[in-house]
Amino acid sequence: MNATQASAPLGGSAPNAAGSVGVAYLLHLADNAVVLGQRNAEWCGHGPILEEDIALANVSLDHIGQARLLYQLAAARMGGGASEDSLAYFRDETAFRNYTLLELPHHGPLVGYAASDRDYAVTIVRNFFYGALMVLVWDALTRSADTDLAAIAAKSLKEARYHLHHAADWVVRLGDGTDESHARAQAAVDHLFRYTEEFWLPSPAETEAVASGIGVEVASLRAAWDALVDETLAEATLSRPAVRGYVPEGKLGRHSEHLGYLLGEMQGLARAHPGATW
Amino acid sequence: MYTQAMDIPDAATKPAGVSRTPDAQDAAFEARIDADGRIEPQDWMPEAYRKTLVRQISQHAHSEIVGMLPEGNWISRAPSLKRKAILIAKVQDEGGHGLYLYSAAETLGTSRDQMLDALHSGKAKYSSIFNYPTLSWADVGVIGWLVDGAAIMNQIPLCRCSYGPYARAMVRVCKEESFHQRQGYEALLVMMKGSDAQKAMVQDAVNRWWWKCLAMFGPPDADSPHSAQGLRWGIKRIGNDELRQKFVDATVPQAEVLGVTLPDPDLKWNEARQHYDYGQIDWAEFWATVEGDGPCNRERLATRVKAHRDGEWVRDAALAHARKQQQRKNKEAA
């Protein structure tokens, strides 16, 4: 479950940590964190058992904390009055660069305005797929040429390890639990797996960040991610579905039908009082 | 978050009489209470003391868990990331308080499942304050300032409660509640320095919560069926009326600093009493809400029941997996 432990600094040339290089990359990382933090907080008060209610709130809190640090860094680099809240609350859906996986509701495939009960299996499997990626990403980013980002990565890596541990434990419990939990966990894997294809898709923000030694080439983490995921799925007696067709493009700003609702709820109050301090 | 005169009458439990047939165990118990000592789980205790504590501690635990809902209502809409993080942490703390308190009650021989069943069937009560809706973002701050403030008034004396596990749980709960109260007040201070709309939001929330908070201390001592026995047993330390007065006296100056009006035309300083006088609490409305007919009772309870039912398959999976693992271990050992 440990991330790959390479010690060499990230490749690339001409790091420019103090300039605007890498802002788009910071926003991609921050958007991931805020959107998943928002989603996981939806369980607060509704968890399947009190301990999980607390755990999910904790995971959510970590993600909101990561988002704040990343937005603050991006805002400082952007200048012009940008702030963590202007970036989280006053950008539109198409400006968000999060993985589509993270904006999906806690249930199986349904249209944007459908209502359904939350399914803990979807929540857990999503956290597992993303957690397995982020232990690798944050580990690599501790060696970023951008020392501010490296510091955030060091803090976030500790959190991501806990998130992965928590999610993987539950994937195994659900997969290797009852017939019902196995069926739900498998359905969640089948539903969500294709959204992980987006992880490996190149994006201009990542390409630029990699070139300047700030970011990590995510495709290079794929083998390690596969190993982490396959190990846990095997223990959970779950199978990995074949993936074909559509590859989501949330990190390019083309999202599912679900992000608009998430942001509408999250941003509504702040936007009703532009300029207000809270 | 909070519990009030955590002793809401329960038809199934009659107030126990003080007089008992004296025997050695009883005498030892009474002597320890008289000496202001602590009763621990392994100690003998009268059945009525045990029952009263289970009722009180489980009501308190249920209040924490149900209390997550009115504030949870604003997590997704918190208007800044800082406030969102503070609110998630606060609601999470409340879940944590629920856990300590269920654990403290379990030391008295009642399981968490039994207590949850009592909550879900409507037999067990929780603090009635959570049966009111949170209608604006300012409610989050006002709940921190006033509801948690009232809770602290009630709970500080419980750190000296005669039952050890409860008293120790309350020390930690009170520290966190004090923090929540300061955070709530600070959030309101910021809003009161903001736009007219923000100020109006705060005043409206104060108007809606003030009287409900005064009622949180429970009925006047004269009408409070459990108060006398609770005081005798060191489960309750200070009467409802005295706590309510302390709360009013502490809160009026805070309202002045904040710049809000407390919605009570009779609220004024009484030089002779050296206390603030205040108006009549609407006890009919309070009791209607306690009895289940408040604005949100049904929603709160149904939401808890739904979360528990929807989560059953998850809990079953965890148990089934643990059993499978145990069986595998046993096989390996054989």
Side-chain angles (χ1 to χ4, degrees):
Chain A
M1 194 138 310
N2 278 333
T4 47
Q5 298 290 326
S7 56
L10 295 172
S13 57
N16 183 7
S20 63
V21 174
V23 161
Y25 187 64
L26 293 173
L27 291 177
H28 160 62
L29 294 170
D31 292 344
N32 282 339
V34 84
V35 168
L36 186 58
Q38 178 80 359
R39 273 292 178 228
N40 278 331
E42 291 171 3
W43 278 103
C44 203
H46 310 284
I49 187 166
L50 188 48
E51 285 82 349
E52 282 305 288
D53 220 306
I54 294 170
L56 258 281
N58 205 45
V59 172
S60 171
L61 201 49
D62 286 344
H63 284 131
I64 299 298
Q66 291 171 10
R68 291 190 65 197
L69 292 172
L70 292 160
Y71 282 136
Q72 284 164 13
L73 187 55
R77 303 261 166 95
M78 290 164 81
S83 69
E84 62 176 274
D85 288 330
S86 73
L87 295 173
Y89 288 91
F90 291 88
R91 282 187 307 142
D92 292 337
E93 199 182 331
T94 50
F96 271 70
R97 292 290 183 271
N98 58 284
Y99 295 124
T100 308
L101 173 73
L102 308 179
E103 72 206 32
L104 302 174
H106 303 276
H107 54 64
L110 288 171
V111 299
Y113 69 104
S116 175
D117 283 344
R118 296 179 195 99
D119 183 342
Y120 207 58
V122 172
T123 304
I124 287 296
V125 169
R126 185 219 323 262
N127 286 351
F128 170 63
F129 288 157
Y130 180 68
L133 178 71
M134 293 315 287
V135 293
L136 302 169
V137 168
W138 291 128
D139 180 60
L141 291 181
T142 59
R143 297 179 297 280
S144 169
D146 181 337
T147 52
D148 293 323
L149 177 57
I152 295 172
K155 176 183 179 290
S156 303
L157 176 59
K158 290 181 200 155
E159 295 167 348
R161 282 184 179 141
Y162 163 73
H163 302 166
L164 175 58
H165 184 88
H166 173 262
D169 276 0
W170 274 103
V171 167
V172 172
R173 283 189 198 108
L174 298 182
D176 187 35
T178 62
D179 289 347
E180 181 183 2
S181 71
H182 178 87
R184 282 175 179 264
Q186 187 62 58
V189 169
D190 293 347
H191 166 44
L192 297 176
F193 208 95
R194 69 171 175 163
Y195 289 92
T196 67
E197 285 296 305
E198 182 185 348
F199 294 165
W200 325 118
L201 184 77
S203 73
E206 285 167 304
T207 306
E208 177 208 56
V210 169
S212 56
I214 289 171
V216 57
E217 175 79 62
V218 184
S220 71
L221 305 174
R222 186 165 195 170
W225 185 86
D226 280 337
L228 281 173
V229 166
D230 288 345
E231 184 190 339
T232 298
L233 289 183
E235 198 185 341
T237 71
L238 295 168
S239 59
R240 189 173 164 153
V243 173
R244 60 183 181 274
Y246 162 73
V247 176
E249 297 178 316
K251 70 179 176 183
L252 302 178
R254 287 186 287 275
H255 291 276
S256 70
E257 290 178 350
H258 303 286
L259 183 63
Y261 290 94
L262 181 146
L263 293 181
E265 188 172 338
M266 184 176 102
Q267 298 177 333
L269 176 59
R271 288 188 176 210
H273 300 269
T277 301
W278 304 93
Chain B
M1 151 179 312
Y2 122 93
T3 178
Q4 67 187 34
M6 287 148 291
D7 209 10
I8 298 166
D10 170 354
T13 315
K14 285 184 204 151
V18 184
S19 63
R20 296 178 54 85
T21 313
D23 58 23
Q25 286 176 318
D26 220 346
F29 173 83
E30 295 291 339
R32 194 173 302 177
I33 293 283
D34 288 341
D36 213 13
R38 289 278 157 84
I39 307 297
E40 295 298 335
Q42 68 277 13
D43 295 336
W44 182 88
M45 62 190 83
E47 212 36 47
Y49 175 85
R50 185 186 299 273
K51 269 191 174 169
T52 302
L53 274 169
V54 169
R55 184 185 62 227
Q56 178 167 328
I57 300 172
S58 65
Q59 275 182 11
H60 190 168
H62 298 329
S63 301
E64 299 284 355
I65 302 309
V66 176
M68 294 170 77
L69 299 174
E71 288 179 285
N73 187 40
W74 283 93
I75 289 175
S76 68
R77 295 176 286 169
S80 75
L81 292 183
K82 176 181 150 187
R83 295 293 170 200
K84 187 190 290 287
I86 289 173
L87 183 57
I88 294 171
K90 177 178 196 271
V91 178
Q92 188 194 24
D93 281 351
E94 283 152 16
H97 297 171
L99 264 187
Y100 313 146
L101 290 163
Y102 283 127
S103 303
E106 283 185 313
T107 65
L108 292 158
T110 304
S111 71
R112 202 204 296 185
D113 280 346
Q114 286 173 303
M115 290 184 267
L116 288 179
D117 285 347
L119 172 68
H120 297 158
S121 68
K123 189 170 159 249
K125 300 281 191 237
Y126 56 87
S127 176
S128 222
I129 195 78
F130 301 121
N131 290 317
Y132 300 101
T134 49
L135 301 179
S136 82
W137 171 252
D139 288 41
V140 171
V142 169
I143 286 175
W145 173 40
L146 295 180
V147 176
D148 291 341
I152 293 164
M153 286 286 173
N154 268 318
Q155 290 175 352
I156 295 274
L158 291 172
C159 299
R160 296 183 294 118
C161 164
S162 63
Y163 188 59
Y166 191 28
R168 289 188 288 273
M170 291 316 299
V171 172
R172 179 158 176 184
V173 169
C174 282
K175 279 183 190 161
E176 295 183 351
E177 294 299 358
S178 301
F179 189 58
H180 297 166
Q181 194 211 8
R182 286 198 296 274
Q183 283 176 327
Y185 191 68
E186 188 268 338
L188 297 177
L189 280 172
V190 171
M191 289 179 75
M192 290 302 288
K193 285 182 194 143
S195 66
D196 289 347
Q198 286 175 296
K199 289 177 196 165
M201 215 186 274
V202 175
Q203 183 62 58
D204 176 62
V206 169
N207 292 348
R208 284 182 286 108
W209 288 96
W210 172 249
W211 288 106
K212 315 303 180 201
C213 288
L214 292 194
M216 275 173 67
F217 294 90
D221 294 323
D223 307 329
S224 185
H226 295 306
S227 277
Q229 180 65 80
L231 288 165
R232 163 74 192 102
W233 273 338
I235 293 172
K236 195 175 173 67
R237 292 288 185 175
I238 305 176
N240 296 350
D241 294 322
E242 186 182 341
L243 285 171
R244 188 167 14 246
Q245 184 69 60
K246 273 178 80 164
F247 175 73
V248 172
D249 291 348
T251 307
V252 171
Q254 293 168 2
E256 283 166 7
V257 171
L258 196 55
V260 293
T261 309
L262 296 172
D264 179 359
D266 298 325
L267 187 71
K268 57 177 177 296
W269 179 250
N270 182 323
E271 192 59 34
R273 289 204 310 124
Q274 288 294 299
H275 287 295
Y276 283 94
D277 291 336
Y278 53 90
Q280 280 297 312
I281 294 169
D282 183 352
W283 291 111
E285 190 275 342
F286 171 79
W287 286 114
T289 304
V290 168
E291 297 303 327
D293 295 321
C296 298
N297 299 56
R298 290 176 185 115
E299 293 169 15
R300 302 289 186 240
L301 192 56
T303 299
R304 286 309 320 155
V305 169
K306 178 171 164 49
H308 193 70
R309 281 194 189 145
D310 289 354
E312 191 174 7
W313 71 270
V314 179
R315 300 190 299 276
D316 287 347
L319 288 172
H321 179 68
R323 271 196 301 273
K324 283 182 187 176
Q325 275 195 315
Q326 191 57 48
Q327 282 164 359
R328 282 173 207 140
K329 261 188 203 162
N330 292 347
K331 251 190 196 169
E332 279 169 24

